[in-house]
Amino acid sequence: ANLQMFNLDDALLQFKKAIESRYSIDLRVVLDAMASVALIQHFNNQQEDAKNSINELMEFVSETGDPVDLLIANSAKARIAWLQNDLDTALSWAEEFTKKHTFAGMFFWLEVPWITQAKVLIAKGSRESLKRAVELLHELVELADSSNLVYQSIEIKILLTLAFEKQKQFDEAMTVLGKTVTLAESLGWIRPFIEAGPEM
């Protein structure tokens, strides 16, 4: 919640505590915490620290040898690359990523590969990549809404707004955005709007 409300100092403290306990708590929590530390460092304009944190995450998952762990780490790496305007690195992952989304892959986590993929495809901005992003986001929002994943639904709809805007579907963009702002305001959510960048 602290990260979503952009209370970055408190969020960073929580995530670092999780990382310190990485060999005694659920691994998925640790991966999320490590990815989130890199995200917070980016927001704090600590770009090299963010890259170093991603490298630490990649080294950590190399110890587990688990393909799901590697997926999360590569998604986090692409996300930070996208945020740092390294679109080539982000696209090298996003355009090859074909794993089907699942409820388990969406549930409660902060690093969701399919959401990161949509972010990168929208940033590319081609007709084909926008079409692919919108199709993916429609599938994700149906899953999120039907499962009452309110937090994920907010982020997905923000991305839909951006994709619609890039496709010059301005009425659709404003309709989705209006509903999303109302929902996010009720929860005090800020982070997804900030992360979406100047276009948002």
Side-chain angles (χ1 to χ4, degrees):
N2 278 320
L3 176 57
Q4 309 303 1
M5 294 178 182
F6 225 61
N7 299 324
L8 298 185
D9 290 343
D10 291 340
L12 186 61
L13 182 61
Q14 290 176 330
F15 291 129
K16 286 190 171 181
K17 285 182 179 178
I19 294 169
E20 288 170 2
S21 304
R22 60 182 172 274
Y23 294 109
S24 60
I25 62 175
D26 185 271
L27 182 59
R28 188 61 171 87
V29 174
V30 178
L31 298 181
D32 241 21
M34 296 180 82
S36 296
V37 165
L39 185 62
I40 291 169
Q41 288 167 331
H42 168 79
F43 289 142
N44 283 333
N45 295 313
Q46 299 168 313
Q47 307 303 333
E48 288 304 314
D49 288 341
K51 290 180 182 178
N52 291 337
S53 292
I54 290 296
N55 289 335
E56 290 174 10
L57 172 57
M58 298 300 294
E59 290 175 10
F60 180 66
V61 299
S62 71
E63 298 175 13
T64 73
D66 188 303
V68 175
D69 299 346
L70 187 59
L71 166 60
I72 301 305
N74 278 319
S75 175
K77 181 179 179 179
R79 184 178 184 179
I80 294 298
W82 161 71
L83 283 166
Q84 295 187 350
N85 297 315
D86 181 4
L87 194 55
D88 288 342
T89 296
L91 279 168
S92 70
W93 171 80
E95 292 187 329
E96 298 299 322
F97 176 52
T98 58
K99 185 176 175 63
K100 183 68 175 174
H101 53 77
T102 63
F103 180 80
M106 292 280 291
F107 191 65
F108 283 134
W109 304 117
L110 292 168
E111 183 56 51
V112 180
W114 299 274
I115 292 177
T116 295
Q117 183 184 33
K119 291 174 179 177
V120 177
L121 292 173
I122 292 168
K124 182 178 181 181
S126 70
R127 179 176 297 183
E128 180 184 351
S129 69
L130 289 171
K131 180 176 181 291
R132 187 175 169 194
V134 169
E135 289 173 352
L136 173 60
L137 290 167
H138 278 310
E139 293 174 5
L140 294 179
V141 81
E142 183 177 338
L143 175 60
D145 286 348
S146 65
S147 305
N148 200 30
L149 299 176
V150 177
Y151 295 159
Q152 304 295 11
S153 182
I154 291 171
E155 184 143 33
I156 295 163
K157 289 172 181 175
I158 287 172
L159 296 176
L160 266 175
T161 297
L162 292 177
F164 283 145
E165 190 272 339
K166 282 198 169 187
Q167 291 178 321
K168 302 190 184 305
Q169 296 174 265
F170 302 118
D171 289 344
E172 291 90 337
M174 292 306 296
T175 297
V176 174
L177 181 60
K179 294 176 181 178
T180 308
V181 168
T182 299
L183 180 58
E185 185 179 24
S186 70
L187 297 168
W189 268 44
I190 301 171
R191 191 275 309 165
F193 297 93
I194 294 173
E195 186 173 345
E199 289 178 334
M200 177 52 60

